[in-house]
PDB file of all heavy atoms in Angstrom:
ATOM      1  N   ARG A  53     122.080 -37.712  41.512  1.00 73.00           N
ATOM      2  CA  ARG A  53     121.253 -37.043  42.521  1.00 73.00           C
ATOM      3  C   ARG A  53     121.332 -37.820  43.835  1.00 73.00           C
ATOM      4  O   ARG A  53     121.379 -39.049  43.842  1.00 73.00           O
ATOM      5  CB  ARG A  53     119.810 -36.953  42.044  1.00 73.00           C
ATOM      6  CG  ARG A  53     118.930 -36.126  42.975  1.00 73.00           C
ATOM      7  CD  ARG A  53     117.582 -35.854  42.338  1.00 73.00           C
ATOM      8  NE  ARG A  53     116.750 -35.070  43.217  1.00 73.00           N
ATOM      9  CZ  ARG A  53     115.528 -34.659  42.919  1.00 73.00           C
ATOM     10  NH1 ARG A  53     115.012 -34.948  41.739  1.00 73.00           N
ATOM     11  NH2 ARG A  53     114.824 -33.955  43.767  1.00 73.00           N
ATOM     12  N   ASN A  54     121.281 -37.093  44.965  1.00 70.00           N
ATOM     13  CA  ASN A  54     121.338 -37.712  46.292  1.00 70.00           C
ATOM     14  C   ASN A  54     119.921 -37.997  46.768  1.00 70.00           C
ATOM     15  O   ASN A  54     119.107 -37.090  46.933  1.00 70.00           O
ATOM     16  CB  ASN A  54     122.052 -36.782  47.279  1.00 70.00           C
ATOM     17  CG  ASN A  54     122.230 -37.438  48.637  1.00 70.00           C
ATOM     18  OD1 ASN A  54     122.060 -38.665  48.783  1.00 70.00           O
ATOM     19  ND2 ASN A  54     122.569 -36.640  49.639  1.00 70.00           N
ATOM     20  N   PHE A  55     119.611 -39.287  46.988  1.00 66.00           N
ATOM     21  CA  PHE A  55     118.275 -39.682  47.428  1.00 66.00           C
ATOM     22  C   PHE A  55     118.218 -40.009  48.905  1.00 66.00           C
ATOM     23  O   PHE A  55     117.169 -40.417  49.401  1.00 66.00           O
ATOM     24  CB  PHE A  55     117.803 -40.916  46.618  1.00 66.00           C
ATOM     25  CG  PHE A  55     117.578 -40.617  45.174  1.00 66.00           C
ATOM     26  CD1 PHE A  55     118.588 -40.855  44.259  1.00 66.00           C
ATOM     27  CD2 PHE A  55     116.384 -40.087  44.737  1.00 66.00           C
ATOM     28  CE1 PHE A  55     118.394 -40.584  42.919  1.00 66.00           C
ATOM     29  CE2 PHE A  55     116.196 -39.826  43.394  1.00 66.00           C
ATOM     30  CZ  PHE A  55     117.190 -40.065  42.469  1.00 66.00           C
ATOM     31  N   GLU A  56     119.340 -39.833  49.636  1.00 61.00           N
ATOM     32  CA  GLU A  56     119.342 -40.149  51.065  1.00 61.00           C
ATOM     33  C   GLU A  56     118.423 -39.182  51.799  1.00 61.00           C
ATOM     34  O   GLU A  56     118.559 -37.949  51.689  1.00 61.00           O
ATOM     35  CB  GLU A  56     120.767 -40.041  51.628  1.00 61.00           C
ATOM     36  CG  GLU A  56     121.727 -41.088  51.112  1.00 61.00           C
ATOM     37  CD  GLU A  56     121.398 -42.468  51.635  1.00 61.00           C
ATOM     38  OE1 GLU A  56     120.649 -42.576  52.631  1.00 61.00           O
ATOM     39  OE2 GLU A  56     121.857 -43.461  51.023  1.00 61.00           O
ATOM     40  N   GLY A  57     117.469 -39.720  52.583  1.00 55.00           N
ATOM     41  CA  GLY A  57     116.558 -38.920  53.384  1.00 55.00           C
ATOM     42  C   GLY A  57     115.564 -38.102  52.568  1.00 55.00           C
ATOM     43  O   GLY A  57     114.939 -37.183  53.101  1.00 55.00           O
ATOM     44  N   LEU A  58     115.440 -38.421  51.251  1.00 53.00           N
ATOM     45  CA  LEU A  58     114.502 -37.683  50.402  1.00 53.00           C
ATOM     46  C   LEU A  58     113.068 -38.052  50.755  1.00 53.00           C
ATOM     47  O   LEU A  58     112.743 -39.234  50.839  1.00 53.00           O
ATOM     48  CB  LEU A  58     114.770 -37.987  48.920  1.00 53.00           C
ATOM     49  CG  LEU A  58     113.891 -37.250  47.918  1.00 53.00           C
ATOM     50  CD1 LEU A  58     114.105 -35.740  48.017  1.00 53.00           C
ATOM     51  CD2 LEU A  58     114.179 -37.742  46.508  1.00 53.00           C
ATOM     52  N   ILE A  59     112.238 -37.063  51.002  1.00 50.00           N
ATOM     53  CA  ILE A  59     110.827 -37.275  51.337  1.00 50.00           C
ATOM     54  C   ILE A  59     109.981 -36.751  50.177  1.00 50.00           C
ATOM     55  O   ILE A  59     110.176 -35.646  49.688  1.00 50.00           O
ATOM     56  CB  ILE A  59     110.436 -36.549  52.643  1.00 50.00           C
ATOM     57  CG1 ILE A  59     111.296 -37.077  53.807  1.00 50.00           C
ATOM     58  CG2 ILE A  59     108.960 -36.723  52.939  1.00 50.00           C
ATOM     59  CD1 ILE A  59     111.062 -36.323  55.099  1.00 50.00           C
ATOM     60  N   VAL A  60     109.034 -37.548  49.749  1.00 49.00           N
ATOM     61  CA  VAL A  60     108.170 -37.172  48.634  1.00 49.00           C
ATOM     62  C   VAL A  60     107.029 -36.316  49.143  1.00 49.00           C
ATOM     63  O   VAL A  60     106.315 -36.699  50.079  1.00 49.00           O
ATOM     64  CB  VAL A  60     107.618 -38.428  47.917  1.00 49.00           C
ATOM     65  CG1 VAL A  60     106.716 -38.033  46.784  1.00 49.00           C
ATOM     66  CG2 VAL A  60     108.773 -39.289  47.441  1.00 49.00           C
ATOM     67  N   VAL A  75     113.858 -45.637  43.389  1.00 86.00           N
ATOM     68  CA  VAL A  75     115.293 -45.742  43.630  1.00 86.00           C
ATOM     69  C   VAL A  75     115.505 -46.725  44.784  1.00 86.00           C
ATOM     70  O   VAL A  75     114.835 -46.628  45.823  1.00 86.00           O
ATOM     71  CB  VAL A  75     115.912 -44.372  43.988  1.00 86.00           C
ATOM     72  CG1 VAL A  75     117.416 -44.509  44.231  1.00 86.00           C
ATOM     73  CG2 VAL A  75     115.648 -43.361  42.871  1.00 86.00           C
ATOM     74  N   MET A  83     114.652 -46.312  48.424  1.00 81.00           N
ATOM     75  CA  MET A  83     114.973 -45.004  48.953  1.00 81.00           C
ATOM     76  C   MET A  83     113.992 -43.929  48.465  1.00 81.00           C
ATOM     77  O   MET A  83     113.781 -42.914  49.137  1.00 81.00           O
ATOM     78  CB  MET A  83     116.399 -44.610  48.542  1.00 81.00           C
ATOM     79  CG  MET A  83     117.470 -45.614  48.982  1.00 81.00           C
ATOM     80  SD  MET A  83     119.079 -45.271  48.235  1.00 81.00           S
ATOM     81  CE  MET A  83     119.353 -43.588  48.766  1.00 81.00           C
ATOM     82  N   TYR A  84     113.411 -44.193  47.289  1.00 81.00           N
ATOM     83  CA  TYR A  84     112.536 -43.151  46.718  1.00 81.00           C
ATOM     84  C   TYR A  84     111.489 -43.815  45.810  1.00 81.00           C
ATOM     85  O   TYR A  84     111.798 -44.747  45.059  1.00 81.00           O
ATOM     86  CB  TYR A  84     113.370 -42.148  45.915  1.00 81.00           C
ATOM     87  CG  TYR A  84     112.546 -41.058  45.248  1.00 81.00           C
ATOM     88  CD1 TYR A  84     112.048 -39.992  45.987  1.00 81.00           C
ATOM     89  CD2 TYR A  84     112.273 -41.108  43.884  1.00 81.00           C
ATOM     90  CE1 TYR A  84     111.297 -38.997  45.387  1.00 81.00           C
ATOM     91  CE2 TYR A  84     111.524 -40.113  43.276  1.00 81.00           C
ATOM     92  CZ  TYR A  84     111.026 -39.056  44.022  1.00 81.00           C
ATOM     93  OH  TYR A  84     110.268 -38.091  43.437  1.00 81.00           O
TER      94      TYR A  84
END
Side-chain angles (χ1 to χ4, degrees):
R53 187 170 180 179
N54 185 14
F55 293 95
E56 292 291 343
L58 182 62
I59 300 175
V60 179
V75 180
M83 303 170 57
Y84 178 77

